[in-house]
Amino acid sequence: MKERLSTLWNRPSGQVGILLVFCFVLFFLNLGQWDLWNPDEPRYAQVSREMVNGGDWVLMHFNGQIYGDKPPLFFWLIAFSSFLWQGFSSFSVRFPSALFGTLSVLLTFLIGKRLYSSRTGFLSGLILATSLEFAYLSTRANIDATLTFFTTFSLLCFLQWYGGADPHSPGAREDKKDFAIYGFYIGMALATLAKGPVGFVLPLLVVLVYLAVQKDWNGIKKMRLILGMILFIFIVFAWYLPALLKGGREYFNETIMLHTVDRFAKGSSHIRPFYYYLYNFPGDYLPWVFFLPAAIAYGLSGRKTGVKKEFLFLFVWFVVIFVFFSFSKGKRGLYLLPLFPAVSLMVGKWWDDFLSASMNHFNDRWFSIPLWIFSGLLLGLGAGIPWIVLRKFPSYLSYSLPIAFLFVGGGIALFILYRLRHRAAIFFLIVGIMGGGFFYTQRVVFPIINPYKSARFISQEITSRIQPGEKLAIYGDFVIAPYSYYTGMIPILEIEKRDELIRFLQSGERVFCLLKFRDYAQFQTMEGRPRVELIARRKVGGDDMVLISNR
């Protein structure tokens, strides 16, 4: 039995099988346990549903209006998933993210195998799958897991063409190298169809900076940039030109100027300081961020021949994307997801050498200090979570105990294993703690908090009372998407000014309006206001929502 496990551990096919099973349990098994939550999931689901129902697969719509925020690839994938799984549901809408999250883990394995060894790829895949933000976004209907797959695929194709560490590798045939470089441009094109120009900017910048740092100008010349960009333009414009013909200049201004140039340069939303990612990224990359400084120091440390090209490529990949998004005015933590495979490979290589005891020259404190910090964090969380739950939500105390036991037990076990010098056991225990904690969160915690975050429940109040032909409006500064998705009503009127709200409620027909309770309370103090009836009140995320009617 032990020999079989050893064979499974060391064979690439066995490593791929373990990664697939692990990702299935982590990403797919609980995918439909909770509703679609703001800010993005209901909107993307609704755009896809309107695309399917309206039959327009070129020019997308949301709430009956043209939607130019994102390209169509992710919405096509959701639509195909809804066909595959017989309807729009939390599972079918999230399925593409789980699929491409899993495929990104496999690509990380392949890159690790290409640059170093299959074991490095295997460890790196586990690290990526259990990093906090990556695991979360692989179970949400967000575009970023899909974008990460295509940018990673593009960079893998470049490595295949470039020959790994040696650009003049004699083992690769010229025709295969040519095919690989075209795969680089195809990956860029599909990434662009997933999330716009950032899809080609990121991999192209990474590759050009990497070659420039090496002063390999000949490599840049051999990249077939002209033919490659023609292929890229052909793929992207196969959709974008018909969309422009249907949407006109207004659609161009919205897709290119407003949602690309202005969002990057001026920040139409999520405006944050330049240094935002310096404090945001470490939390998103838990727990492996504790070992990232050691991995970077190890990669840059005293090699007589200088920094190896394998590490240099990964380091450039990480730094270029980090700096690029730091210059953007609009910032969200999920924007950095395309660099997660790079940092996972750096950390994975460090762990591989650490487990094989091939870095004896490297100070042991680079390992012990991060491990102590992480173990202390686990013990603190394990003790603190039940205390917080007991004070704020005492009826849910029993649900917090398993995660508390996992963290406290895991923290103590890490200390013991460190004293016993069981290095491999430490690594897999960290993977198990993160995987178990995330699985429990999906299976138990998310369903518990779902009634407080989902718009489905108040939407059911709406659909149970409103009759065909009656109008629904929203008033105030909140997102319309979850109510469009869960009521199925198109269009829902959006009212911004108070006098427009009064005129709407003075309608001779029965009408309904959804607004925050604070706005409703202010409305009740107005003189000469129309009489309204409070029908329902419910929490939706951080919003206290009410449904009112004029009769």
Side-chain angles (χ1 to χ4, degrees):
M1 181 67 178
K2 187 175 181 180
E3 291 181 359
R4 289 182 180 178
L5 290 175
S6 177
T7 301
L8 188 68
W9 157 262
N10 290 305
R11 290 178 57 185
S13 59
Q15 293 165 343
V16 169
I18 293 173
L19 289 175
L20 286 174
V21 171
F22 187 73
C23 288
F24 172 77
V25 173
L26 203 61
F27 299 157
F28 290 92
L29 211 55
N30 299 314
L31 208 55
Q33 293 290 321
W34 68 99
D35 293 331
L36 302 178
W37 292 348
N38 278 333
D40 299 318
E41 289 190 303
R43 181 171 73 255
Y44 293 162
Q46 180 62 18
V47 171
S48 301
R49 187 162 63 183
E50 290 188 35
M51 179 173 63
V52 172
N53 293 341
D56 191 344
W57 295 72
V58 174
L59 205 59
M60 294 165 296
H61 293 78
F62 172 69
N63 197 34
Q65 303 295 318
I66 291 177
Y67 179 80
D69 194 3
K70 296 290 187 294
L73 179 58
F74 187 67
F75 306 102
W76 292 343
L77 293 169
I78 293 177
F80 176 74
S81 178
S82 71
F83 171 77
L84 185 66
W85 301 107
Q86 301 298 305
F88 284 87
S89 64
S90 297
F91 182 91
S92 66
V93 171
R94 293 186 179 117
F95 181 80
S97 293
L99 174 63
F100 284 100
T102 301
L103 293 177
S104 294
V105 170
L106 295 183
L107 287 184
T108 302
F109 167 81
L110 292 175
I111 293 175
K113 183 174 179 289
R114 174 73 178 173
L115 294 179
Y116 300 110
S117 67
S118 66
R119 195 170 82 156
T120 295
F122 176 63
L123 298 179
S124 301
L126 290 175
I127 289 169
L128 178 62
T130 52
S131 57
L132 193 62
E133 184 76 347
F134 184 86
Y136 181 60
L137 291 175
S138 294
T139 55
R140 277 185 62 84
N142 281 89
I143 299 175
D144 300 86
T146 304
L147 172 69
T148 299
F149 167 77
F150 286 116
T151 55
T152 306
F153 172 79
S154 182
L155 293 170
L156 173 60
C157 288
F158 169 78
L159 287 173
Q160 289 290 109
W161 168 79
Y162 197 61
D166 181 7
H168 307 293
S169 173
R173 295 209 321 260
E174 195 65 31
D175 56 341
K176 287 186 177 181
K177 291 182 69 173
D178 286 346
F179 180 78
I181 195 60
Y182 290 126
F184 169 72
Y185 295 105
I186 292 171
M188 283 171 38
L190 295 175
T192 303
L193 287 175
K195 206 173 181 179
V198 71
F200 77 85
V201 169
L202 297 183
L204 191 61
L205 266 180
V206 168
V207 164
L208 293 179
V209 171
Y210 171 66
L211 294 174
V213 168
Q214 294 190 98
K215 298 181 180 180
D216 186 1
W217 314 117
N218 193 43
I220 296 177
K221 292 179 182 178
K222 290 183 176 181
M223 281 181 61
R224 301 179 182 268
L225 275 169
I226 295 178
L227 286 176
M229 293 309 295
I230 290 174
L231 176 61
F232 165 84
I233 291 171
F234 177 80
I235 294 172
V236 173
F237 273 64
W239 160 73
Y240 194 55
L241 277 180
L244 280 179
L245 291 175
K246 296 185 72 173
R249 184 175 182 82
E250 182 179 348
Y251 187 72
F252 172 81
N253 290 335
E254 186 173 358
T255 54
I256 299 298
M257 302 308 296
L258 177 62
H259 292 297
T260 302
V261 178
D262 283 358
R263 180 169 290 181
F264 183 89
K266 300 178 182 178
S268 58
S269 61
H270 311 291
I271 300 175
R272 293 184 173 106
F274 178 83
Y275 53 84
Y276 170 73
Y277 291 119
L278 292 176
Y279 62 85
N280 177 265
F281 171 71
D284 287 346
Y285 194 57
L286 286 171
W288 304 106
V289 70
F290 293 118
F291 305 98
L292 180 58
I296 293 175
Y298 178 63
L300 298 175
S301 66
R303 310 290 178 84
K304 293 181 180 179
T305 57
V307 177
K308 289 191 174 181
K309 292 181 179 180
E310 299 94 336
F311 176 81
L312 180 63
F313 180 79
L314 300 175
F315 188 68
V316 168
W317 181 352
F318 164 58
V319 171
V320 165
I321 296 178
F322 192 95
V323 171
F324 175 82
F325 282 115
S326 293
F327 276 103
S328 172
K329 290 289 185 181
K331 296 179 178 69
R332 294 177 69 185
L334 51 79
Y335 292 169
L336 291 187
L337 202 68
L339 64 75
F340 274 54
V343 291
S344 298
L345 284 159
M346 288 191 288
V347 175
K349 172 58 176 172
W350 181 85
W351 268 102
D352 191 13
D353 286 357
F354 181 74
L355 295 180
S356 61
S358 61
M359 57 163 69
N360 292 327
H361 69 283
F362 207 61
N363 195 317
D364 186 63
R365 290 183 180 178
W366 284 103
F367 171 72
S368 60
I369 292 177
L371 185 66
W372 293 341
I373 295 173
F374 178 56
S375 300
L377 177 64
L378 287 177
L379 292 173
L381 288 173
I385 288 174
W387 181 77
I388 294 172
V389 172
L390 181 62
R391 292 195 61 183
K392 294 184 175 293
F393 314 100
S395 60
Y396 294 109
L397 177 62
S398 61
Y399 296 103
S400 69
L401 296 180
I403 203 76
F405 291 146
L406 175 68
F407 286 172
V408 171
I412 295 173
L414 287 174
F415 277 118
I416 295 173
L417 291 173
Y418 174 76
R419 299 296 297 178
L420 297 175
R421 295 291 176 179
H422 290 322
R423 297 179 174 183
I426 290 173
F427 176 84
F428 287 107
L429 179 57
I430 296 173
V431 170
I433 291 169
M434 293 303 297
F438 190 70
F439 183 89
Y440 184 79
T441 299
Q442 290 179 307
R443 192 73 180 182
V444 177
V445 178
F446 284 174
I448 289 174
I449 65 177
N450 185 62
Y452 305 100
K453 288 186 66 69
S454 174
R456 175 169 61 90
F457 302 95
I458 197 167
S459 296
Q460 290 172 344
E461 297 273 4
I462 297 171
T463 54
S464 67
R465 286 170 168 80
I466 199 165
Q467 300 298 316
E470 294 179 333
K471 295 179 181 178
L472 172 66
I474 66 166
Y475 170 74
D477 57 340
F478 60 93
V479 180
I480 190 176
Y483 309 101
S484 296
Y485 177 75
Y486 280 113
T487 64
M489 297 183 63
I490 303 173
I492 296 176
L493 305 177
E494 297 182 74
I495 298 175
E496 298 180 357
K497 297 180 179 178
R498 190 171 296 179
D499 56 346
E500 294 177 357
L501 174 64
I502 292 174
R503 285 197 298 272
F504 177 73
L505 294 172
Q506 288 174 338
S507 171
E509 304 173 345
R510 186 170 74 153
V511 294
F512 295 81
C513 185
L514 196 62
L515 67 164
K516 292 181 180 179
F517 180 78
R518 72 179 186 211
D519 293 326
Y520 170 72
Q522 292 176 359
F523 175 80
Q524 290 290 77
T525 63
M526 293 172 52
E527 294 184 4
R529 60 176 175 79
R531 179 182 174 275
V532 296
E533 177 184 353
L534 176 62
I535 297 176
R537 180 180 178 183
R538 195 166 190 112
K539 285 277 189 181
V540 180
D543 297 329
D544 186 3
M545 303 300 301
V546 297
L547 176 67
I548 62 175
S549 176
N550 61 349
R551 63 188 64 177

